[in-house]
Amino acid sequence: MNAPGGIGRRRVTPALGLRFILLAIVSLVLMVMDSRNNHLPQIRQIFSVAVYPVEMAVNFPFKGWRWVRNSFVERAFLLKENEELKSTQLGYDVRMQKMAALEVENRRLRAMLNSSSRINDRVLVAEILAVDLDPYRQRFSINRGLADSVYVGQALIDANGVVGQIVGVEAFTSEAVLISDADHAVPVSVNRNGLRTIAVGTGDSGRLRLPYVTNSADIKSGDLLVSSGLGGVFPSGYPVGRVLEVQRRPGQSFADVIAEPVAELDRDREVLLVWPESDTGQYGKANLAELEQ
Amino acid sequence: MKRSANTLVWPVSTLLLALMLSILPMPGATANFRPDWTVLVMIFWLLNSPDRFGLLTAMFLGLALDTLSGALLGQNALAMVIIAYLVLKFHLRLRISPISQLTVTVFGLLVIYHFVLFWVDGVSGRTVPYSERWMPLMMSTFLWPLIQRALHQKYSNGRAEV
């Protein structure tokens, strides 16, 4: 950086303390700005583009290995898998026949009640990048960013249920937090009776805590928890977890309820980004128009 | 001109490798033992070529770590700049000290580094367990003599060729 040689070095040394103080102040200011209003999007994005090659270089061998493993699977295995998939598909087809009729009915009823119809959310598949973020928090990166119009607060689901939400969007990648992170909470309702509560992460990817359930509430182990849609982050109706155990203590007003996430939080490779259809979306309007005629 | 280009390739590639190692996925609980690769390699280059690498290098490495790890922007940067300042301030004394003494010094620097990270986490209200903090510290200290030897050998070889 500086000209080599004794003179250059000697001239630089006295300013060392001053430069140190300047840089320390710069990083303190960055931290305060980043933590206070949580948006330094431009600066963060410049850096994220700069370190993108490093992330890709780390991800590449894992991607290659996955590719090699997929290319050399046995024929017998593929045939068996194909058969299994076909039979599940058949099952789904049968259910879908009814589904189409039910969906129309549901929409008509909802339109009559003047409420929203949220059946078809738009989704996009995203791949989880094989990079480790802070080991003390449950975060991960996915390979979709601003270019795919991902936004902060967007919900992530997998084939089984809610996975987490986006907390930071960069040019080509985004950072997401799992629902089991100790700083995260999901508004849920018990599917059996509609009881609303909040599922809080524990830091352990196999457990959620429901701290705000009263002792007298109707909840028991095995109950399915679905997202309630309150709070506006997670679209309603997606499975979140299953209640594992309920402990009611006579001396306390709240019960200890532990639930297990239904999404495979620590095994996923692909997740789905969800864009909820808005309340005044085309379906609601179209149906109202149909009904009015 | 040619000399500077040649001697820059090795440090820059080792620093990039260190950054990659710092986000390489590790199986299960071993992630808690991940040494601070970037800090170790940076300390080495600050000690051995202080006219090329200085506080700005440390700052940018720290910011790269912040972006890669999703930490608060400036958290690693502050910690890096603080230990870079200490290394540069005492580098003439540190350079001639034997490897055992230097390892103890590196341990001290890493304690400061982790304390700054921990302190910032606490002030910004992030919930972070603190007993796990000691694992990377120990791993890094044990690795320092190896890293120093490996980098030093290659470094002096490169110099001899030029």
Side-chain angles (χ1 to χ4, degrees):
Chain A
M1 250 181 277
N2 302 303
I7 299 171
R9 205 180 297 175
R10 211 164 295 152
R11 204 179 53 213
V12 167
T13 316
L16 184 66
L18 187 66
R19 285 190 300 148
F20 163 65
I21 289 169
L22 271 179
L23 289 181
I25 289 173
V26 168
S27 31
L28 280 173
V29 167
L30 278 177
M31 273 190 279
V32 171
M33 281 166 73
D34 201 17
S35 69
R36 275 294 143 77
N37 37 24
N38 214 1
H39 48 79
L40 276 178
Q42 289 88 0
I43 303 179
R44 256 197 187 269
Q45 245 161 65
I46 293 167
F47 279 106
S48 77
V49 170
V51 297
Y52 184 63
V54 177
E55 278 182 337
M56 283 304 105
V58 171
N59 193 35
F60 180 74
F62 291 90
K63 216 174 170 179
W65 168 242
R66 227 179 281 157
W67 181 81
V68 168
R69 220 174 39 182
N70 283 342
S71 333
F72 291 99
V73 283
E74 279 179 52
R75 181 169 172 275
F77 176 78
L78 282 179
L79 283 176
K80 189 166 161 261
E81 193 185 46
N82 198 345
E83 219 154 85
E84 279 172 14
L85 287 175
K86 268 186 188 151
S87 67
T88 11
Q89 175 70 32
L90 195 67
Y92 287 145
D93 280 347
V94 172
R95 267 198 255 168
M96 273 304 280
Q97 291 174 5
K98 269 193 182 170
M99 182 71 181
L102 286 175
E103 197 181 318
V104 171
E105 185 184 316
N106 184 303
R107 250 187 242 151
R108 201 181 305 129
L109 290 171
R110 277 183 178 273
M112 276 161 70
L113 289 170
N114 237 344
S115 76
S116 60
S117 92
R118 277 189 184 170
I119 288 175
N120 293 315
D121 294 327
R122 193 159 75 81
V123 295
L124 175 70
V125 177
E127 192 186 321
I128 295 182
L129 293 179
V131 296
D132 260 9
L133 300 183
D134 195 336
Y136 307 118
R137 286 178 297 149
Q138 305 215 323
R139 312 243 158 161
F140 58 93
S141 288
I142 59 170
N143 68 342
R144 305 280 180 184
L146 268 187
D148 307 282
S149 59
V150 175
Y151 59 90
V152 172
Q154 187 167 18
L156 283 171
I157 59 173
D158 75 354
N160 301 313
V162 175
V163 172
Q165 65 169 297
I166 302 286
V167 287
V169 184
E170 278 140 20
F172 309 109
T173 57
S174 308
E175 197 189 314
V177 57
L178 289 178
I179 52 171
S180 56
D181 186 285
D183 288 340
H184 191 269
V186 202
V188 295
S189 63
V190 177
N191 200 31
R192 185 164 51 84
N193 54 13
L195 173 76
R196 284 193 307 272
T197 181
I198 292 174
V200 182
T202 57
D204 171 359
S205 63
R207 288 171 101 75
L208 298 172
R209 231 159 26 94
L210 275 62
Y212 310 113
V213 178
T214 50
N215 262 340
S216 56
D218 177 17
I219 190 167
K220 60 188 184 201
S221 79
D223 276 348
L224 181 69
L225 303 168
V226 297
S227 53
S228 68
L230 294 178
V233 170
F234 295 98
S236 64
Y238 286 103
V240 174
R242 206 168 267 287
V243 176
L244 276 186
E245 54 171 292
V246 181
Q247 279 191 3
R248 295 190 166 86
R249 293 176 195 203
Q252 283 160 4
S253 44
F254 292 105
D256 288 342
V257 184
I258 299 289
E260 177 189 39
V262 287
E264 298 185 321
L265 296 184
D266 46 0
R267 269 160 290 170
D268 275 327
R269 248 183 242 138
E270 269 129 17
V271 289
L272 296 165
L273 287 157
V274 188
W275 282 267
E277 291 289 345
S278 57
D279 287 3
T280 50
Q282 35 192 324
Y283 289 118
K285 275 184 183 165
N287 278 334
L288 275 181
E290 267 173 34
L291 284 173
E292 277 163 11
Q293 277 174 6
Chain B
M1 196 66 198
K2 198 170 180 189
R3 181 182 166 268
S4 74
N6 262 342
T7 47
L8 263 184
V9 170
W10 178 239
V12 169
S13 50
T14 49
L15 284 171
L16 278 179
L17 187 69
L19 276 178
M20 281 161 68
L21 282 174
S22 69
I23 56 163
L24 188 74
M26 308 217 309
T30 52
N32 287 339
F33 293 83
R34 184 198 303 277
D36 308 297
W37 296 104
T38 322
V39 186
L40 294 175
V41 176
M42 188 198 69
I43 292 178
F44 177 85
W45 289 116
L46 286 176
L47 277 178
N48 286 283
S49 148
D51 48 345
R52 262 171 229 291
F53 300 101
L55 293 177
L56 268 181
T57 321
M59 177 95 185
F60 279 116
L61 279 174
L63 287 172
L65 268 184
D66 289 330
T67 320
L68 284 173
S69 69
L72 208 56
L73 200 66
Q75 184 176 15
N76 279 295
L78 178 67
M80 287 287 233
V81 167
I82 289 174
I83 57 170
Y85 170 72
L86 292 173
V87 170
L88 288 175
K89 179 105 180 150
F90 300 109
H91 93 271
L92 289 178
R93 234 178 286 174
L94 291 175
R95 273 181 83 166
I96 53 167
S97 55
I99 202 161
S100 55
Q101 215 170 314
L102 196 52
T103 308
V104 175
T105 316
V106 166
F107 175 75
L109 289 170
L110 287 167
V111 168
I112 297 172
Y113 177 78
H114 279 279
F115 177 76
V116 173
L117 292 188
F118 180 56
W119 173 70
V120 171
D121 270 340
V123 170
S124 64
R126 300 192 170 193
T127 42
V128 157
Y130 83 109
S131 54
E132 277 96 331
R133 294 258 172 190
W134 291 99
M135 308 298 186
L137 196 61
M138 294 302 165
M139 286 298 283
S140 311
T141 314
F142 285 129
L143 271 174
W144 169 256
L146 300 177
I147 286 184
Q148 193 188 11
R149 189 147 303 166
L151 287 178
H152 210 279
Q153 228 156 28
K154 188 82 194 222
Y155 184 47
S156 32
N157 282 352
R159 261 199 177 161
E161 279 164 29
V162 176

